[in-house]
Amino acid sequence: MDSSFQEGVMQVIEGAVRKKTAALDLKEKELKVREEKVDKVLKNVSTKGKVVLQVGNVQFHTTTKILLKVEDSFFHALLNPNLSEEDDESIEENQSTQKKLIEKGNESAQKKFIENDNESTQEKFIARDGNIFHYVLEYLTYDKLVTKISDENILRKLILDAEFYLLPELQQEAEEMLKTVKENGDDIRNLKRMLETAQEKMRVFDQAQEKMVVFNQAEEKLRLLSTAPEKIAKWQSTSGAGNGGYWNWNVVVVAPNSQYYELQSGNTVLVKTKGTYMVMVRVAGTMTSNSYYIELYVNGGSGGHARSMNSDSNGYYKSFHINEVFSFEANSKLQIYQSTNGSPYNTQICNQFSIIKLL
C-alpha cells in the first residue's frame, strides 16, 4: 500500500478523534457547571436546621437560616443553644432581656449551631398573633414585605410585633406603609365627603326644581285665573235661528272684552286674536224635522267644525250641545247654524253661547 495514502488516512482519523475529544471536553464542562448550579440550589433549599414555630394558634415551618437572617433579632435569642431553660422562658418578657440574652450567646457556638448538619427539627412557641407573624416570616424570607397591606389595624399590629421581634427595618417599612394607607384613606374619605356633598346638593337642586315646576304651574293657573274674566264672553238667546238660519244672541251675560271679541249683526261672534279657544253652546227647542241639528260655522262655512243632532221628530223639546276646543286665526267669524225650522225654547237659561281664550 502506498505510504502517502496511509499517512492521509491516519490524518483523517486523528482529526476526527480530536474533534470528538473536544466535543466531549465541552460537554464535560457544561455538566460540571450544571452540577455546581444544582448543588447551589440544593444548598439553598436544604431542609437542615428546620424549625417549627407555633405562634399563637398558627403553626409555621421554616429554617434557622431564615430566622437568623437579621442580626440581633429576637430569633437569635430564641434559637441560641447556649441559653439555659430559665433564659429560654424569659425570652419574651421584654426587649431589654432579649438584647442581653443575645449578647450572652457565644458567637462560635451560635455559628456551630447554624451550620449543624443534623436533621433534627426544633419546635418553639411564641405567644403572639399568628396571623401577623405571616408577614414577619414573609419579610425574613424575601428581605422585604411583598404583600401590600391596606388594613390599618393589621399594620398597627405588625409595627408592634416588628418592635417585639427586634426587626427595625420591618418596623420602619410597616410604618411607611401605614402612613401611605392613612393618606390614601384620607383622600378617599375626602372624596366620599365631596361626593356626598355633591349628591346632597343635587338632591336639594332636584327638590328645588320640582318645587319650581309646581310653582310655575300654580303661577300659570293664577295667571289664567287672573286674566280669565277678560277673556270670557257669554250671550243668551230668546229667539231661534229659523229654518236654515243663524241663532241670534240678544242677551249679554258676560260682556266681551273688545280686545278679543265683538258681536256683529246679533248672530256673529268675531274672534279678534289668534289662539286656542273653548266654545260652549247649548240650545233647546221642538223639532219639525227628523234631520234637525245645529252646527258651528267658521267664516261662513261648516267645514266639519262641530255638530249636534237628533233624529227624533215627535215634537218634544230637545237640547243640543257643542263643547269643543278650537284654534282660530285672527278675525275668525263664529255662527251657530240651525238646519231646519223649529220652535226654540225661549228661556235665556237654556240657549247660550260661551267662549273663553285658553292660549
Side-chain angles (χ1 to χ4, degrees), residues 79-85 87 104-110 113:
L79 302 177
N80 193 327
N82 297 316
L83 298 181
S84 65
E85 184 177 349
D87 291 334
K104 181 179 178 180
N106 180 279
E107 289 186 9
S108 61
Q110 290 188 34
F113 170 75

Side-chain angles (χ1 to χ4, degrees), residues 218-263:
E219 188 179 47
E220 179 63 16
K221 289 180 181 179
L222 182 62
R223 185 186 66 80
L224 291 174
L225 289 173
S226 64
T227 59
E230 65 180 17
K231 295 182 179 180
I232 294 176
K234 184 176 181 179
W235 299 269
Q236 292 180 339
S237 175
T238 59
S239 62
N243 188 18
Y246 300 107
W247 276 78
N248 289 288
W249 308 107
N250 57 337
V251 178
V252 177
V253 178
V254 178
N257 185 323
S258 60
Q259 179 183 349
Y260 300 105
Y261 315 108
E262 179 184 338
L263 183 63

Side-chain angles (χ1 to χ4, degrees), residues 3 20 29 33 59 65 83 124 142 188 219 246 267 269 356:
S3 60
K20 191 67 174 177
K29 290 180 180 179
V33 171
Q59 191 175 84
K65 182 177 181 180
L83 298 181
K124 297 289 183 178
Y142 300 104
I188 292 173
E219 188 179 47
Y246 300 107
N267 61 15
V269 176
I356 178 171

Side-chain angles (χ1 to χ4, degrees), residues 52-118:
V52 176
L53 292 179
Q54 183 74 31
V55 184
N57 60 350
V58 184
Q59 191 175 84
F60 296 89
H61 294 257
T62 185
T63 66
T64 56
K65 182 177 181 180
I66 290 175
L67 291 176
L68 301 178
K69 187 178 291 186
V70 177
E71 293 184 3
D72 298 336
S73 70
F74 164 87
F75 303 104
H76 282 269
L78 180 69
L79 302 177
N80 193 327
N82 297 316
L83 298 181
S84 65
E85 184 177 349
E86 180 181 350
D87 291 334
D88 188 55
E89 293 176 354
S90 65
I91 287 176
E92 300 180 25
E93 289 183 1
N94 54 58
Q95 290 183 341
S96 177
T97 302
Q98 293 173 21
K99 291 178 181 179
K100 290 179 181 179
L101 292 175
I102 290 168
E103 294 171 356
K104 181 179 178 180
N106 180 279
E107 289 186 9
S108 61
Q110 290 188 34
K111 184 177 180 180
K112 181 179 178 181
F113 170 75
I114 294 170
E115 296 177 350
N116 190 0
D117 287 338
N118 66 51

Side-chain angles (χ1 to χ4, degrees), residues 51-286:
V51 180
V52 176
L53 292 179
Q54 183 74 31
V55 184
N57 60 350
V58 184
Q59 191 175 84
F60 296 89
H61 294 257
T62 185
T63 66
T64 56
K65 182 177 181 180
I66 290 175
L67 291 176
L68 301 178
K69 187 178 291 186
V70 177
E71 293 184 3
D72 298 336
S73 70
F74 164 87
F75 303 104
H76 282 269
L78 180 69
L79 302 177
N80 193 327
N82 297 316
L83 298 181
S84 65
E85 184 177 349
E86 180 181 350
D87 291 334
D88 188 55
E89 293 176 354
S90 65
I91 287 176
E92 300 180 25
E93 289 183 1
N94 54 58
Q95 290 183 341
S96 177
T97 302
Q98 293 173 21
K99 291 178 181 179
K100 290 179 181 179
L101 292 175
I102 290 168
E103 294 171 356
K104 181 179 178 180
N106 180 279
E107 289 186 9
S108 61
Q110 290 188 34
K111 184 177 180 180
K112 181 179 178 181
F113 170 75
I114 294 170
E115 296 177 350
N116 190 0
D117 287 338
N118 66 51
E119 298 292 338
S120 63
T121 299
Q122 297 189 77
E123 294 185 7
K124 297 289 183 178
F125 175 79
I126 305 174
R128 303 296 283 189
D129 190 335
N131 295 320
I132 302 302
F133 189 77
H134 164 81
Y135 300 106
V136 176
L137 190 57
E138 176 183 294
Y139 169 78
L140 292 173
T141 303
Y142 300 104
D143 298 321
K144 64 178 181 178
L145 274 177
V146 179
T147 303
K148 299 301 179 183
I149 307 170
S150 58
D151 190 309
E152 292 186 24
N153 292 327
I154 291 177
L155 285 170
R156 290 191 181 95
K157 284 185 177 181
L158 181 56
I159 291 169
L160 294 174
D161 276 8
E163 183 180 10
F164 173 82
Y165 293 123
L166 299 176
L167 300 171
E169 292 184 3
L170 172 59
Q171 182 179 346
Q172 181 180 355
E173 192 171 342
E175 287 173 347
E176 292 174 356
M177 195 176 291
L178 177 61
K179 181 181 178 182
T180 301
V181 169
K182 290 178 69 175
E183 289 174 352
N184 292 339
D186 290 340
D187 291 341
I188 292 173
R189 282 187 287 271
N190 289 334
L191 287 174
K192 284 184 178 179
R193 280 194 292 268
M194 291 173 63
L195 178 61
E196 290 171 356
T197 301
Q199 289 175 338
E200 177 62 19
K201 288 182 178 179
M202 286 297 298
R203 186 183 66 81
V204 172
F205 176 78
D206 290 341
Q207 289 180 344
Q209 286 288 91
E210 293 174 359
K211 290 180 180 179
M212 183 60 70
V213 170
V214 174
F215 174 79
N216 290 338
Q217 291 174 344
E219 188 179 47
E220 179 63 16
K221 289 180 181 179
L222 182 62
R223 185 186 66 80
L224 291 174
L225 289 173
S226 64
T227 59
E230 65 180 17
K231 295 182 179 180
I232 294 176
K234 184 176 181 179
W235 299 269
Q236 292 180 339
S237 175
T238 59
S239 62
N243 188 18
Y246 300 107
W247 276 78
N248 289 288
W249 308 107
N250 57 337
V251 178
V252 177
V253 178
V254 178
N257 185 323
S258 60
Q259 179 183 349
Y260 300 105
Y261 315 108
E262 179 184 338
L263 183 63
Q264 298 179 339
S265 304
N267 61 15
T268 301
V269 176
L270 177 66
V271 178
K272 295 183 176 181
T273 306
K274 178 181 179 179
T276 302
Y277 294 81
M278 174 69 133
V279 176
M280 295 164 284
V281 180
R282 182 181 65 197
V283 297
T286 57

